[in-house]
Amino acid sequence: MMKSQVALLYVLIIVSEGSAQSLIPRRSVSFSDVNLKLFKQRNFDSLSSLLVREDIGQLFIGGRGKVISLSLDDITKKTSEIKWMVSSGEKSECLARGRSIEDCKNYITTLHTLDDSRIFTCGTRAFKPLCTHLLFKEGSVTMETTTQEGTGRAPFGPHEDFASLMDDFMKKRKVFMRTGSTYLSTEDKISWFNDPIMISINAAETSKSSKYNEDDNLFVFFTEIAVEERRSNLRLSRVARVCKKDLGGFAILERKWTSFLKARLDCPFGDTGSLSLLQGVFFLKDENNVTESLFYTTFTSSPSIVSTPSSCSQSAVCAYKLSDIQQVYRGNLLNEISPGVWVKDVGTESYTYPRSCINDEMRAKGVKTSQNIPGKTLEFTRNHPLMEGVVTPITGKPLLVRSMAQFSKIVVDKVTSLDGQQHNVMFISNNSGWVQKAVWSDVDGLRIIEELQLFQDPQPIRFLQLSSRSGQLYSTTRTAVAQLSVRDCSRYRSCADCLIARDPYCGWNRRTGLCAAAAGASKLSMIQNLIDGDVGTCPSSHLSKQITDIHLTLDVAQFLPCNPDTNLPISWRFSGSILKPSPRHTLLSQGLVLKPSLTDQGLYTCETVEVVKGRKHRKAVIQYNVKVSEGENYFQGVAVYILASFCMLCVMLITYMYWKQKPQNHVGSSSVSYASIEQLE
């Protein structure tokens, strides 16, 4: 019975290893090994807003009843704190309306920088939103006594979805609006918005790259219940576009958007029938040509009732080019011929507006603003908000898909390598407190360089912001803030590891003999190869080999562990030759089970294997000098057998925890040597 159980255990581990090897990051770094700074304060939780101010070197966080400023260089240094509570009367009135004690407090949900350096701030204030301004002067924060009505500028309660852009563009659950002197909102029709959940608002200065000086665009990302699908309550991902200078119509669509169009956002992944929904958006602007700018997005997918029993949740990253989105809006619109039935519009009228925002051609015809748009055109716009075309990702498919993951936020950094090339490095957070660092190229596709556990307890990351100038990443959960240097290269302990990882931030410093940040360095002092990770330029290494002597008993199985500091697959060599599976040699993801005969004495080497551009890199992790002897007595053999079985149970537990949570990093594991050979076809 014992032998059959152990055999089954071997199969499970080997199958698990092979099924997900291509999906895991190159390296996983647990919380205890991540070099980060953490801010957490007693009685300060429900963090609901975050603002990075590079100009004054401050990080502002808003939560329940207060705003705190931290040093941008070191968030463990609190520079100021200001409280903003609700009065007892406001709290009593809120409780009388049936709200909970916690919800009847003031949650700071909005922090935006104004042109005069003041911070526009709004709070829920017991379901009566209110706004004011904060000033940061001489190292402390003060609050102005004047306030503004917060309805439309902030959510009513702490659990409402909400997003805003500091150009007075706001979004509540049912309405997308512009506040201020030229108030505009969406039409109160489900064909425009059907129970939307806001994700992001982004402004694009499209006029700079427009042939006819077209007005700038705003892009609104959200999910909503589909009006064009007959499946009830089917939620789809959308991107809407409005013209930034829209003033509303005259008589028709007065104080309403006249340029609102929306299209489906497609990120194809998951099983047939699964639902993928937008979670996060990052707008990476192209300073030379805005139409080449990219929207990086995260999606999650949950199995539907028609999925197979083996289906599981998945997440993906998709990227969309701004010009591709614009092209969809120049296409055909859908027409609702009966409730819930939408078909391609085949009307004889072909309206330029709102397919294009106002441009020089329209201005030449007397259409200077949206209030000059003819009523017939506005009436058409009111009844045709939905595009026929679907916005597809730049590659036609996701850049990344991972199973058993719940991606949330994403930020992207443009990194210039030593050869002058630019690389887009993505930081993708999930709902377990981890961030993945990945880079994508047309040649290699997407590589996950590493994943980092930023918070010790598994919890969703709510905010993720990057300071490209200082190279710092800031993230928050509901209770804590973490600061991570994206240019930390100290985890690469050798020149070979530094180059093979192909991390755009890192290079090997010839003078210090360390892997260090490449920013600002010269080619003379730094080695970097992001094309194929060639280690031929590395200085010769004279690391002493760490060999462990081990004595085994004839025909008694024993587990030889191998714990590399990466998630790369391992292989074994015996006396210089590749070790193949056999009745006496069971190869596992974290070691080798050896049931030796007298001919199995010799040197066993465990090494990681990494293939880059057809070149196979081998890194020796640990070596065992195995000596075999006949057992002294029966009881000794039984004892060793029991110990080996216990080791196998440990392996099973480790493997289970790896898939259930995350693989643990083993920084400091012995690194023996590197070798590099061309991969044979």
Side-chain angles (χ1 to χ4, degrees), residues 19 111 198 203 330 365 372 375 383-384 408 458 514 521 561 624-625:
S19 63
L111 291 171
M198 169 57 61
R330 297 188 185 105
K365 297 178 182 179
N372 303 132
N383 297 317
H384 297 79
S408 52
L514 297 172
Y624 295 97
N625 183 27

Side-chain angles (χ1 to χ4, degrees), residues 572-579 585 599-605:
W572 287 84
R573 287 178 180 268
F574 172 53
S575 298
S577 300
I578 297 294
L579 190 65
H585 306 96
T599 61
D600 291 316
Q601 297 185 110
L603 186 64
Y604 289 79
T605 302

Side-chain angles (χ1 to χ4, degrees), residues 206-259:
T206 48
S207 58
K208 291 183 176 180
S209 300
S210 173
K211 182 179 179 180
Y212 299 106
N213 195 28
E214 180 184 338
D215 286 344
D216 292 338
N217 292 180
L218 282 171
F219 294 97
V220 185
F221 291 83
F222 61 101
T223 67
E224 68 169 351
I225 296 176
V227 293
E228 73 273 30
E229 296 283 349
R230 302 198 178 180
R231 291 169 57 186
S232 61
N233 297 322
L234 175 65
R235 188 167 286 275
L236 298 179
S237 301
R238 306 277 201 201
V239 55
R241 186 231 61 192
V242 295
C243 304
K244 191 173 180 181
K245 292 185 178 180
D246 195 334
L247 300 177
F250 182 76
I252 299 174
L253 288 180
E254 188 173 356
R255 300 179 73 82
K256 304 287 186 181
W257 295 103
T258 66
S259 54

